[in-house]
């Protein structure tokens, strides 16, 4: 990767690939960037690691998602840096450099779609494509103070996208404003427009905000006040999510006792995260073990340990984890009914500082995955909504909706956004 100036280190390579030029195309005049995990004809897909790039030939064809974006009139301005093998939510890459977070330069940008988020946050492109398995769109969106969308699992094609863990892999995207996010979404999702933007229930679980979030950000109060103002207090449900999951996911108790998860503050959510990561490791191993053993690649710190853990883990509980996944989806389908929303913090707090101590970071990651694994294990869609800067740090909230409710979720976000911003200003006072 050549040295870059003025682009926050977001790009692996820059070029201008013009999209279709007929009139009235939905993305005409917009620019975008593509994570280095998508195949594009003539380019080597690097997967965040030079040994991967060295041992793979240039792609012979282009991912359908990238083609759809070009055919809708958008111009591609380059391919972006990512975490190695998509196996991190931090955004640091020892080989290609860590893209600079335009929002808070002394903090990580989030990963693994780090460069794609930074390219949008730094106003280098209008929107960008990333992937999200365990949080790789939602986390960098939250850390960089922009919108990020993880679609319902399986709704958007992952063909010609390098797999990380197929049960959870999704193609997501970033934008600085909701209109662009929705425009890109209409092209990528290929779903009919949503007729309703009226939720029938809004679950704002107190435990997720008070135990896993940062109470000083006041996002629990902001979300409750906004929902009450736009909709009605009768739709709001503040029941704790951890207790609901514990009661309604039958395999949960056995699994918690199997891995001694009782000491977690929210044991059911910690168990969901633990189950997701076990399935993820298993699928990662199935896809990549042969290449890793043959190539013996050079991996950066943190990534190396995580990858070798996947290759050597005990998978005795795999069937139990798969059962929990199905049971959780059923339980949350029942909670949200047809047009329900679930609001949670996207991440447990502000982006960690660059090169943060590994022990502190591990605690933060554990809390983060208790939140992130909800969409992963249910296949639900999730949007990260930036609320602005508080104490000079970005603050976000996430909304989730049932599988297939992607256009409904985008419509509700549009309906709520101005009020969320207004309530954030009130909650934070004029100092923010």
């Amino acid at each position: 990767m050549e040295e870059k100036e003025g682009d926050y280190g977001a790009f692996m390579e820059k070029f201008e690939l013009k999209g279709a030029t007929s009139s009235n195309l939905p993305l005409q005049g917009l620019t975008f960037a593509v994570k280095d995990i998508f195949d594009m004809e003539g380019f080597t897909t690097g997967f965040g690691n030079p040994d991967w790039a060295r041992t793979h030939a240039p792609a012979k064809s282009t991912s359908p998602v990238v083609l759809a974006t070009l055919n809708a009139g958008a111009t591609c301005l380059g391919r972006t840096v990512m975490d190695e093998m998509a196996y991190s939510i931090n955004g640091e890459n020892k080989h290609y450099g860590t893209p600079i977070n335009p929002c808070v330069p002394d903090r990580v940008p989030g990963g693994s779609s780090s460069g794609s988020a930074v390219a949008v946050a730094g106003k280098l492109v209008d929107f960008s494509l990333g992937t999200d398995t365990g949080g790789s769109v939602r986390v960098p969106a939250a850390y960089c103070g922009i919108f990020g969308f993880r679609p319902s699992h399986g709704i958007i094609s992952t063909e010609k996208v390098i797999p990380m863990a197929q049960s959870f892999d999704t193609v997501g995207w970033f934008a600085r404003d909701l209109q662009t996010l929705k425009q890109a979404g209409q092209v990528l999702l290929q779903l009919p427009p949503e007729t309703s933007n009226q939720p029938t229930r809004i679950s704002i679980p107190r435990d997720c905000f008070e135990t896993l979030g940062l109470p000083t950000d006041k996002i629990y109060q902001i979300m409750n006040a906004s929902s009450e103002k736009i909709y009605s207090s009768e739709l709001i449900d503040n029941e704790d999510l951890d207790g609901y999951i514990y009661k309604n996911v039958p395999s949960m108790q056995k699994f918690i006792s199997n891995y001694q998860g009782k000491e977690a503050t929210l044991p059911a959510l910690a168990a969901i995260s633990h189950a997701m990561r076990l399935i993820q490791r298993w699928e990662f191993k199935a896809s990549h073990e042969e290449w890793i053993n043959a190539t013996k690649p050079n991996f950066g710190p943190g990534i190396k340990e995580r990858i070798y853990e996947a290759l050597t883990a005990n998978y005795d509980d795999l069937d139990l984890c798969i059962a929990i996944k199905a049971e959780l989806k059923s339980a949350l389908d029942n909670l949200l009914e047809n047009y329900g929303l679930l609001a949670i913090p996207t991440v447990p707090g502000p982006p960690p500082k660059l090169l943060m101590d590994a022990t502190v970071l591990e605690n933060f990651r554990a809390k983060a995955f208790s939140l992130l694994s909800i969409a992963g294990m249910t296949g639900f869609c999730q949007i990260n909504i930036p609320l602005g800067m508080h104490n000079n740090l970005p603050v976000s909230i996430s909304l989730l909706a049932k599988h297939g409710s992607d256009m409904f979720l985008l419509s509700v976000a549009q309906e709520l956004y101005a009020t969320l911003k207004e309530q954030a200003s009130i909650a934070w006072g004029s100092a923010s």
Side-chain angles (χ1 to χ4, degrees):
M1 189 177 82
E2 58 201 82
E3 204 52 48
K4 307 291 193 287
E5 282 183 25
D7 71 357
Y8 301 96
F11 287 96
M12 289 293 296
E13 48 192 323
K14 291 197 270 193
F15 47 80
E16 188 171 317
L17 183 59
K18 288 197 178 296
T21 52
S22 330
S23 57
N24 299 325
L25 290 170
L27 301 179
Q28 197 146 28
L30 296 180
T31 58
F32 74 107
V34 176
K35 182 178 182 175
D36 192 26
I37 198 170
F38 292 85
D39 281 357
M40 290 175 68
E41 186 181 353
F43 294 92
T44 300
T45 309
F47 206 22
N49 179 275
D51 289 316
W52 183 279
R54 178 178 57 76
T55 54
H56 289 79
K60 291 190 167 65
S61 56
T62 299
S63 141
V65 170
V66 177
L67 279 178
T69 311
L70 290 165
N71 290 339
T75 296
C76 181
L77 297 187
R79 295 175 63 81
T80 57
V81 174
M82 62 175 282
D83 295 47
E84 295 178 72
M85 300 193 86
Y87 220 145
S88 173
I89 56 167
N90 231 27
E92 294 174 303
N93 187 312
K94 84 159 191 176
H95 308 287
Y96 302 122
T98 298
I100 297 163
N101 186 335
C103 194
V104 267
D106 65 334
R107 307 264 174 158
V108 296
S112 64
S113 310
S114 51
S116 289
V118 165
V120 168
K123 303 184 178 173
L124 308 174
V125 291
D126 296 310
F127 68 98
S128 63
L129 301 179
T131 57
D132 188 313
T133 302
S136 292
V137 164
R138 293 162 289 164
V139 173
Y143 288 0
C144 292
I146 56 175
F147 292 93
F149 198 90
R150 175 198 162 95
S152 299
H153 183 260
I155 290 270
I156 298 176
S157 170
T158 53
E159 187 190 342
K160 303 194 189 306
V161 180
I162 302 173
M164 199 281 169
Q166 290 92 323
S167 292
F168 311 111
D169 289 346
T170 62
V171 167
W173 64 101
F174 302 93
R176 287 184 301 279
D177 63 274
L178 263 171
Q179 184 53 40
T180 306
L181 192 83
K182 195 169 184 181
Q183 271 178 271
Q186 285 165 333
V187 168
L188 297 169
L189 292 162
Q190 297 181 2
L191 293 170
E194 183 50 62
T195 49
S196 168
N197 60 357
Q198 288 294 117
T200 49
R201 178 185 195 139
I202 305 170
S203 175
I204 312 171
R206 182 187 291 271
D207 57 347
C208 288
F209 289 91
E210 296 193 349
T211 307
L212 296 174
L214 196 64
T216 51
D217 285 343
K218 301 181 178 170
I219 52 175
Y220 178 68
Q221 294 89 323
I222 292 164
M223 183 64 202
N224 275 290
S226 302
S227 302
E228 197 166 327
K229 187 166 182 188
I230 292 282
Y231 302 114
S232 154
S233 58
E234 289 169 16
L235 298 184
I236 299 170
D237 165 24
N238 295 130
E239 182 188 352
D240 283 353
L241 190 61
D242 196 74
Y244 177 84
I245 291 172
Y246 194 82
K247 281 185 302 209
N248 291 282
V249 176
S251 302
M252 178 60 65
Q253 293 180 23
K254 183 182 178 197
F255 184 63
I256 288 176
S257 61
N258 277 16
Y259 88 99
Q260 287 88 47
K262 295 187 192 70
E263 73 280 0
T265 323
L266 298 177
L269 283 165
I272 294 297
S273 163
H274 194 81
M276 175 169 167
R277 286 196 275 177
L278 195 76
I279 302 169
Q280 184 180 350
R281 286 184 195 120
W282 172 258
E283 294 187 351
F284 178 88
K285 177 181 176 174
S287 293
H288 301 302
E289 181 176 32
E290 192 178 324
W291 176 81
I292 292 165
N293 288 338
T295 311
K296 302 198 169 28
N298 174 14
F299 291 125
I303 305 276
K304 179 169 70 176
E305 291 77 5
R306 220 163 288 139
I307 285 173
Y308 285 101
E309 186 181 10
L311 300 190
T312 57
N314 177 327
Y315 291 104
D316 289 350
D317 277 340
L318 187 65
D319 288 345
L320 189 56
C321 293
I322 291 166
I324 286 171
K325 184 173 183 285
E327 289 168 13
L328 179 72
K329 182 178 185 298
S330 173
L332 293 192
D333 275 346
N334 291 338
L335 177 72
L336 296 188
E337 297 160 351
N338 279 341
Y339 286 102
L341 283 181
L342 172 62
I344 57 171
T346 308
V347 285
K353 290 189 169 167
L354 291 160
L355 305 171
M356 183 183 261
D357 174 73
T359 316
V360 179
L361 195 57
E362 196 44 52
N363 183 43
F364 187 87
R365 276 172 54 83
K367 277 184 152 187
F369 282 118
S370 287
L371 294 164
L372 295 164
S373 58
I374 299 168
M377 288 286 273
T378 55
F380 287 7
C381 46
Q382 180 172 343
I383 184 171
N384 176 72
I385 301 175
L387 298 178
M389 302 289 280
H390 180 45
N391 298 329
N392 298 313
L393 292 165
V395 177
S396 291
I397 191 167
S398 266
L399 301 179
L400 289 79
K402 284 171 63 167
H403 187 277
S405 305
D406 304 58
M407 294 308 294
F408 165 70
L409 186 58
L410 283 163
S411 296
V412 170
Q414 273 190 311
E415 177 97 358
L416 266 172
Y417 181 57
T419 305
L420 284 167
K421 292 279 285 182
E422 172 196 298
Q423 292 300 321
S425 293
I426 293 166
W428 298 337
S430 54
S432 64

